[in-house]
Amino acid sequence: QVQLIESGGGLVQAGDSLRLSCVGSGRTFSRYPMGWFRQAPGKERMFVAVIDWSGRTAYYADSVSGRFTISRDNAKNTVYLQMNGLKPEDTGVYYCASDRLPMGVPRRSISSFEHWGQGTQVTVSS
């Protein structure tokens, strides 16, 4: 059974930092691109960041570029999202996800991802 479990969310003030973690099991996650997405109340889930299987290539949404950093530790089956300079508009449930294709180019569309975690809430107060 494939599982992704996120942690690290919380309530912070604008300008603060958080680091989210996502631990995978039931699959060789080191072979797959991994992504982070977020969903704000009343809005659709949106792409935040993605990293390739090796950790060498990453892409970001324009709204988080320069503030967020995605990374991974394949030995621990874990992907991270370091979030600095948080803004109230970063509020939402953050989900990690595993791409459908092993060793592929990192992609941004939700439909490209097969397995999802349950999400962790991030709330940024102004």
Side-chain angles (χ1 to χ4, degrees):
Q1 180 183 359
V2 176
Q3 273 194 314
L4 293 171
I5 301 177
E6 303 97 333
S7 62
L11 172 63
V12 297
Q13 293 187 331
D16 285 351
S17 298
L18 279 176
R19 188 175 83 153
L20 306 183
S21 299
C22 172
V23 180
S25 62
R27 189 187 218 190
T28 308
F29 283 99
S30 59
R31 301 179 63 211
Y32 294 84
M34 297 291 294
W36 285 97
F37 295 77
R38 73 180 176 210
Q39 188 165 17
K43 296 189 176 181
E44 294 185 351
R45 194 171 299 187
M46 60 165 280
F47 165 76
V48 174
V50 63
I51 191 167
D52 76 337
W53 65 274
S54 70
R56 287 193 290 265
T57 302
Y59 300 121
Y60 299 91
D62 289 343
S63 59
V64 307
S65 183
R67 299 187 297 122
F68 291 11
T69 303
I70 188 171
S71 61
R72 66 191 299 160
D73 184 340
N74 285 338
K76 297 181 178 180
N77 271 352
T78 302
V79 62
Y80 304 97
L81 186 67
Q82 177 67 43
M83 306 186 294
N84 298 329
L86 283 161
K87 304 176 180 180
E89 51 264 42
D90 295 320
T91 294
V93 178
Y94 283 70
Y95 300 88
C96 72
S98 174
D99 199 300
R100 298 178 184 277
L101 300 178
M103 317 292 279
V105 175
R107 301 183 287 181
R108 307 176 191 226
S109 64
I110 290 176
S111 61
S112 299
F113 291 82
E114 181 177 16
H115 299 289
W116 294 81
Q118 82 290 348
T120 185
Q121 176 71 45
V122 172
T123 304
V124 185
S125 64
S126 57

